Amino acid sequence: MSLPSLGAPARRRTVLGLALLVAAVSAAPATATDGDGRTAGKAKPTVVLVHGAFADASGWSEVAMRLQHRGHEVVAPANPLRGLGNDSSYTASVLKSIKGPIVLVGHSYGGAVISSAAAGNPNVKALVAEAAAWKTIPSWFLVARQDKATAPDLERFEAERAGSRTVEIDSSHVAMMSHPETVVGLIDEAAETTC
């Protein structure tokens, strides 16, 4: 599935807000490889996926696998779910351990976590979610039209307020499980646009 181009003026950074299965913390950014496994082109950002409340990182397994197949390093830390301040501080500490550009993805409550955790971190190049960091970091937003946990109209309002590049799909609240390829496409677009 091809996603339309951003069309808005480029911003300094971008933040992604979805969560993903823990794969590995990389000391260096991943690089794309050709069919023979040789390095090809520029380094790809590390994708960090943060899950929401009442969940764990396993919900991102399909997305993580596809991102890894496309050459991304993927980190999906266990969100401790101890309150926004604690969860954001923990996630910020994970981000500080990663060298190179980061695309940060948060699902549901994880969107608030990543927005706070990304503040002040120059390596965060893209957000897929909401909160304070969206004021200075370009963002992408996936609206799930069949979401029963968060009203789609609220999602649209948040995305518009943040000036996010928005994609809508017919999905429930857990689009990363039911539509992993669409989620990966949105993450790839953010990475390609900002890194």
Side-chain angles (χ1 to χ4, degrees), residues 39-195:
T39 300
K42 66 178 183 173
K44 288 195 172 200
T46 299
V47 177
V48 178
L49 302 145
V50 179
H51 65 82
F54 311 110
D56 64 30
S58 67
W60 292 100
S61 61
E62 283 295 318
V63 172
M65 181 178 58
R66 291 165 193 231
L67 287 167
Q68 288 171 327
H69 182 71
R70 292 180 183 188
H72 290 281
E73 288 291 325
V74 177
V75 178
N79 185 350
L81 304 175
R82 300 288 186 246
L84 185 56
N86 276 344
D87 299 346
S88 296
S89 293
Y90 172 75
T91 302
S93 73
V94 171
L95 299 178
K96 288 177 187 173
S97 73
I98 299 171
K99 305 274 190 257
I102 299 168
V103 172
L104 190 52
V105 180
H107 175 252
S108 195
Y109 165 72
V113 172
I114 68 166
S115 188
S116 295
N121 187 327
N123 285 345
V124 176
K125 304 297 181 188
L127 293 177
V128 179
E130 282 307 287
W134 54 259
K135 292 180 179 180
T136 58
I137 299 174
S139 61
W140 279 253
F141 203 107
L142 183 69
V143 173
R145 292 186 196 115
Q146 306 304 318
D147 197 330
K148 303 294 186 219
T150 305
D153 284 342
L154 176 60
E155 294 175 18
R156 289 182 191 100
F157 168 77
E158 292 171 342
E160 183 178 338
R161 180 180 66 175
S164 299
R165 156 72 172 95
T166 305
V167 170
E168 292 198 19
I169 60 172
D170 286 322
S171 175
S172 68
H173 187 67
V174 289
M176 71 282 200
M177 292 179 177
S178 61
H179 296 83
E181 194 60 36
T182 302
V183 172
V184 169
L186 195 62
I187 293 168
D188 272 342
E189 179 185 321
E192 290 170 11
T193 302
T194 61
C195 298

